[in-house]
Amino acid sequence: MEEITIQENIKAVENIIATECQKAGRKPEDVTLIAVSKTKPVEMLMEAYEYGCRDFGENKVQELLDKYEVMPKDIRWHMIGHLQRNKVKYIVDKVALIHSVDSLRLAEEISKEAIKKNVCVNILIEVNVANEETKFGITCEEAKHLVQDIAKLPNICVKGLMTIAPFVENAEKNRPIFSKLKKISVDIMDENIDNITMEILSMGMTGDYAVAVSEGATCVRVGTGIFGVRQYMP
Ligand SMILES: *Cc1c(COP(=O)(O)O)cnc(C)c1O
């Protein structure tokens, strides 16, 4: 039963992404679906893998490492959660993209560890567009300066922006959040800063990814919509 459910869920999400792309005049292959697998067991991730998923998102370093060890090596791992500087060294050579960089100090640590491991780490800047106190991320005003500062660091490469929109009943309420992030990315692109691109816009989760795609998301992060509700251990 389980395997059918996960694979059908992914299919349904892909269909909605395709529909939104069509409406917006975009190509579905320009949107990457990241299966957010935090708290879920490897068996469930493997169902998604067998369907064809190669992009998985985790928000805790240890859990990402545990899954990295046992899962196939052609998976692209996305670090989507808040990252502590002392844990950077464990993941720099294992992740395809870190979505949650929100300070120069964190970027400097990533750069330092990337040099040691002789890799180049792709990152996104996390912007707290809605200015929610409970969330990480920098303000819209700070984004451009942070990108300019990070662009000077070796072995780290800014690929775009990420935001976590507020939890809302009606996804349409988040449309201005997504369009604002898109606007910030265009503004930064217009600065023509060396060594950075704004090709990735990581926005949209289970409740609002359709709206995010219609506003230009190139990465959507879907957990519950694929794997079902999460149960957190006390
Ligand atoms: C958990 C999480 C998601 C997925 O949330 P769902 O609502 O389950 O789709 C997306 N992005 C981030 C940063 C998360 O921590």
Side-chain angles (χ1 to χ4, degrees), residues 36 38 59 80-81 162 164 205-207 221-225 230:
V36 176
K38 63 193 185 198
N59 69 341
I80 61 172
M162 178 270 224
I164 303 174
M205 313 185 0
T206 296
R221 310 177 307 265
V222 179
T224 312
R230 286 178 292 274

Side-chain angles (χ1 to χ4, degrees), residues 34 36-38 57-59 79-82 99-100 126 162-164 167 202 204-209 220-226 228-230 232:
I34 299 177
V36 176
S37 47
K38 63 193 185 198
E58 291 285 339
N59 69 341
M79 178 60 193
I80 61 172
H82 182 64
H99 291 234
S100 44
E126 179 173 353
M162 178 270 224
T163 195
I164 303 174
F167 179 80
S202 171
M205 313 185 0
T206 296
D208 55 18
Y209 68 89
V220 294
R221 310 177 307 265
V222 179
T224 312
I226 292 175
V229 292
R230 286 178 292 274
Y232 289 96

Side-chain angles (χ1 to χ4, degrees), residues 65 68 88-96 113-114 117 119 121:
L65 291 172
Y68 176 91
V88 165
K89 57 177 174 285
Y90 302 116
I91 62 160
V92 279
D93 55 344
K94 300 190 174 64
V95 292
E113 292 300 327
K117 299 236 162 69
V119 293
V121 183

Side-chain angles (χ1 to χ4, degrees), residues 36 38 58-59 79-83 99-102 124-138 140 161-168 174 176-178 181 201-208 212 219-221 230:
V36 176
K38 63 193 185 198
E58 291 285 339
N59 69 341
M79 178 60 193
I80 61 172
H82 182 64
L83 180 57
H99 291 234
S100 44
V101 176
D102 63 356
L124 304 178
I125 304 299
E126 179 173 353
V127 186
N128 185 352
V129 180
N131 255 318
E132 288 182 287
E133 270 179 34
T134 51
K135 296 234 168 89
F136 293 103
I138 56 157
C140 300
L161 307 177
M162 178 270 224
T163 195
I164 303 174
F167 179 80
V168 288
N174 280 338
I177 304 277
F178 299 138
L181 193 71
L201 265 190
S202 171
M203 57 188 195
M205 313 185 0
T206 296
D208 55 18
C219 257
V220 294
R221 310 177 307 265
R230 286 178 292 274

